[in-house]
Amino acid sequence: ESPHIGICVSGGPDSVALLLLMKDWIKSQNGKITVFHFNHGIREESSREALLIYSMVRKMGIECHVLSWKRSFKEKVNMKSARDIRYKMILENCKKLKIIHLMTGHHYDDNLETYFMRNKRRNCSLGLSGIPKSLITENVEIVRPLLSFSKERLIATCKFYKIKWLNDCNNQNNLYERPRVRKELSTKNKTEIKKISQQLELSKKKNDEIEIKIKDFFYKNIKFYDNGVFELNKERFLEAAPQIQLE
């Protein structure tokens, strides 16, 4: 009843579309939205973009928190460190505001890229499920409701509402792995993309089955003690299938 939902808004078409769609839904639920925008300060235009996003969100009558990364000279400045500190700061603010559901605008194209990227790295099986639809961390459930929708459709959503979005130039920067993967996928034809998509779906199905077996194994074979100490039954572990042992 009366849900309070946090939404991460970068300013790109995906997160802006999520905000627009949730804005309609939250009214029907007599709820509230709080937007979080993270200003990493890596690019010169970051602060200007943060102001534009703040202004857009406030015009919608929605609360907006712009979180700025005040980093020390010793801290590494790259996409991973920026992502880690972004989630850390947003989750801290969710706790303060008693928000237990946080949404992000990850979409189908992101999911395909993640699977393709991990497959190239030869990740273990569970890493090949792509991006999870929900994930609980720090007592907050991170929810990604747009994973089955293409970026093209989310751009169409923004156009329908006549809302402009921002483009991050780092999305085209080949120094980073994801833009390189995105570029590689863009060279593939529809048949090749469909095949990769089918591989992802098969991988997810297989991994769901593995996760059920792993859960079942843990329920039956782990004994818990105080202070987070647990004991695993070694004999039962060695009796498990090699795939289960590995995961």
Side-chain angles (χ1 to χ4, degrees), residues 186-201:
S186 71
T187 64
K188 297 189 180 298
N189 59 41
K190 285 184 180 179
T191 306
E192 290 170 316
I193 291 293
K194 188 178 178 181
K195 188 178 177 182
I196 296 166
S197 178
Q198 288 169 341
Q199 287 169 350
L200 169 59
E201 292 308 313

Side-chain angles (χ1 to χ4, degrees), residues 5 23 65 95 97 144-145 163 181 183 194 208 225:
I5 307 289
K23 181 173 172 281
H65 294 257
K95 284 183 194 173
L97 298 168
R144 302 176 176 107
I163 296 287
V181 164
K183 193 174 181 180
K194 188 178 178 181
D208 285 346
Y225 299 95

Side-chain angles (χ1 to χ4, degrees), residues 4-218:
H4 186 182
I5 307 289
I7 300 182
C8 299
V9 176
S10 65
D14 37 15
S15 60
V16 171
L18 173 62
L19 176 61
L20 293 166
L21 296 165
M22 281 301 295
K23 181 173 172 281
D24 285 348
W25 181 84
I26 209 80
K27 279 183 186 175
S28 68
Q29 303 298 313
N30 192 32
K32 178 186 176 183
I33 289 173
T34 295
V35 164
F36 297 103
H37 173 72
F38 181 69
N39 177 11
H40 49 61
I42 295 174
R43 294 181 288 109
E44 285 182 19
E45 58 270 34
S46 297
S47 295
R48 182 182 62 82
E49 289 176 354
L51 283 171
L52 288 170
I53 291 160
Y54 180 83
S55 175
M56 176 190 74
V57 174
R58 293 301 295 143
K59 279 179 184 174
M60 293 181 188
I62 295 170
E63 190 177 325
C64 183
H65 294 257
V66 174
L67 309 175
S68 298
W69 185 14
K70 294 178 175 64
R71 58 186 178 276
S72 67
F73 289 111
K74 292 179 182 177
E75 284 185 280
K76 285 183 179 179
V77 182
N78 55 41
M79 294 292 267
K80 185 187 181 302
S81 59
R83 184 175 64 248
D84 291 347
I85 196 70
R86 178 178 78 226
Y87 272 111
K88 182 175 182 288
M89 290 179 74
I90 291 173
L91 289 170
E92 283 171 358
N93 276 269
C94 283
K95 284 183 194 173
K96 287 176 191 173
L97 298 168
K98 297 182 179 175
I99 293 170
I100 59 170
H101 295 99
L102 177 69
M103 290 188 172
T104 71
H106 291 93
H107 49 78
Y108 183 75
D109 301 50
D110 292 327
N111 208 9
L112 208 62
E113 288 164 11
T114 298
Y115 169 75
F116 192 68
M117 211 155 46
R118 289 177 179 172
N119 200 26
K120 283 166 77 75
R121 294 190 209 142
R122 309 221 179 279
N123 261 46
C124 63
S125 298
L126 293 182
L128 297 177
S129 291
I131 302 169
K133 277 193 174 180
S134 73
L135 173 73
I136 296 172
T137 179
E138 304 287 334
N139 294 323
V140 176
E141 184 177 15
I142 298 171
V143 186
R144 302 176 176 107
L146 302 178
L147 281 181
S148 59
F149 299 97
S150 68
K151 183 164 186 169
E152 185 180 30
R153 184 163 176 183
L154 301 179
I155 287 171
T157 300
C158 294
K159 286 179 178 177
F160 174 82
Y161 283 98
K162 296 181 172 61
I163 296 287
K164 291 182 179 179
W165 63 89
L166 303 174
N167 289 308
D168 186 344
C169 61
N170 278 328
N171 289 333
Q172 309 297 326
N173 190 340
N174 286 331
L175 287 173
Y176 302 114
E177 183 181 19
R178 189 172 287 274
R180 292 198 303 270
V181 164
R182 189 174 295 136
K183 193 174 181 180
E184 187 176 344
L185 283 171
S186 71
T187 64
K188 297 189 180 298
N189 59 41
K190 285 184 180 179
T191 306
E192 290 170 316
I193 291 293
K194 188 178 178 181
K195 188 178 177 182
I196 296 166
S197 178
Q198 288 169 341
Q199 287 169 350
L200 169 59
E201 292 308 313
L202 282 171
S203 181
K204 280 163 71 176
K205 188 179 176 183
K206 176 187 162 191
N207 289 336
D208 285 346
E209 291 169 0
I210 292 171
E211 285 196 343
I212 288 166
K213 288 177 183 176
I214 290 171
K215 282 180 196 172
D216 188 53
F217 177 85
F218 282 146

